[in-house]
Amino acid sequence: MAQASKNSRTASATQRFMCSCGGEIKMKTLFEDGKVKNIAECGKCKRTERRPSDFK
C-alpha cells in the first residue's frame, strides 16, 4: 500500500487571526537598522504586536 507524501498530509488552510475590534490580523515584515522584524498588525484599528497571539 502506497503512503502519502509528507507535503500532502499538511493542512492547506491557513489560520486566520482576529483582533478584539473585529479586524483581521496580518503579518508584515519590516527592515529596520539592518534587521528583519516580523510584526502583526490589525487592519481595522492599526494596532501592532509582535505576534498574532498577543492580541488576546
Side-chain angles (χ1 to χ4, degrees):
M1 184 162 133
Q3 292 191 355
S5 69
K6 179 177 69 172
N7 290 334
S8 69
R9 290 191 305 254
T10 60
S12 62
T14 59
Q15 186 176 4
R16 292 187 181 253
F17 293 98
M18 301 301 282
C19 183
S20 58
C21 71
E24 186 178 348
I25 298 170
K26 299 202 179 211
M27 291 299 292
K28 294 190 175 185
T29 304
L30 298 177
F31 188 75
E32 293 179 355
D33 300 326
K35 295 181 181 178
V36 176
K37 288 186 176 183
N38 294 316
I39 61 164
E41 183 178 34
C42 174
K44 192 173 180 183
C45 65
K46 303 297 182 198
R47 180 177 157 197
T48 59
E49 296 288 341
R50 207 178 83 167
R51 55 185 174 262
S53 60
D54 291 342
F55 280 87
K56 293 180 181 176

